[in-house]
């Protein structure tokens, strides 16, 4: 290994010090271990990075509903692309175990992002998705917040029509 301290940054083949370029890739060789390899952002960091602070203030309000977890997460992704953070919440059926992916979901956003979120949803082609694949849910995060939000959410829920 020490006799071949250079590596091609493209194909990762190692070379001795007297080489300068990878003959296969025509890439200049770099010292192994000296590469500035950035750790890929975790999905969580990626989400946080996208959130615009001006959309993250205020109480959560319901702006949309998904017919299941997958659909709600699709909506959540659309909102996040524009910087609006959101939480998903099981719409009804508090007697249904949380681990079930079925069942409608509310999409809740902070009050300061609600208008933007509604615009996004209006402009988006929210084609129904029938995806039934189980998706890891953000429920642990949501559940931690639900205690404080339950009353507000319930009021919002009672005052809002259910999207069929
Ligand atoms: Zn190469």
């Amino acid at each position: 290994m020490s006799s071949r301290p250079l590596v091609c940054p493209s194909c990762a083949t190692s070379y001795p010090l007297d080489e300068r370029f990878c003959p296969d890739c025509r890439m200049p060789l770099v010292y192994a271990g000296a590469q500035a390899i950035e750790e890929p952002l975790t999905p969580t960091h990626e989400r946080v990075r996208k959130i615009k602070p001006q959309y993250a203030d205020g109480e959560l309000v319901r702006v949309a509903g998904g017919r299941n977890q997958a659909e709600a997460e699709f909506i959540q992704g659309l909102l996040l692309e524009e910087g609006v953070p959101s939480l998903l919440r099981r719409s009804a059926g508090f007697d249904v175990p949380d681990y079930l992916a079925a069942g409608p979901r509310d999409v809740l956003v902070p009050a300061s992002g609600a208008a933007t979120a509604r615009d996004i949803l209006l402009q988006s082609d929210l084609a129904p998705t029938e995806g039934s694949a189980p998706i890891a849910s953000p429920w642990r995060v949501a559940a931690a917040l639900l205690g404080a939000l339950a009353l507000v959410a319930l009021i919002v829920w009672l005052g809002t029509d259910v999207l069929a």
Side-chain angles (χ1 to χ4, degrees):
M1 187 90 177
S2 58
S3 63
R4 299 169 74 87
L6 298 175
V7 296
C8 169
S10 177
C11 67
T13 303
S14 59
Y15 294 94
L17 272 176
D18 54 355
E19 297 287 344
R20 285 295 175 268
F21 291 88
C22 174
D24 296 330
C25 311
R26 301 179 188 279
M27 292 287 291
L29 302 177
V30 298
Y31 283 97
Q35 297 125 300
I37 298 176
E38 290 193 15
E39 287 293 316
L41 287 171
T42 66
T44 300
H45 286 152
E46 188 70 13
R47 279 195 291 273
V48 169
R49 194 179 59 78
K50 287 180 178 177
I51 292 172
K52 295 179 180 174
Q54 66 265 36
Y55 296 147
D57 286 332
E59 294 176 334
L60 292 184
V61 297
R62 181 182 183 277
V63 293
R67 285 172 302 173
N68 51 50
Q69 179 73 22
E71 190 168 298
E73 288 188 356
F74 176 76
I75 294 170
Q76 192 172 36
L78 284 176
L79 298 179
L80 183 60
E81 285 303 311
E82 302 300 325
V84 181
S86 59
L87 282 179
L88 305 184
R89 175 178 159 275
R90 184 177 292 282
S91 292
F94 299 105
D95 52 340
V96 178
D98 281 348
Y99 58 79
L100 291 183
R105 296 291 193 280
D106 291 339
V107 181
L108 308 171
V109 306
S112 66
T116 301
R118 292 194 176 97
D119 283 347
I120 295 165
L121 295 172
L122 282 175
Q123 292 163 14
S124 300
D125 178 19
L126 285 177
T129 54
E130 298 296 335
S132 58
I135 297 173
S137 83
W139 255 109
R140 262 174 299 189
V141 176
L145 291 167
L146 272 181
L149 298 171
L151 185 59
V152 170
L154 185 60
I155 292 168
V156 170
W157 165 253
L158 292 174
T160 312
D161 288 334
V162 184
L163 294 187

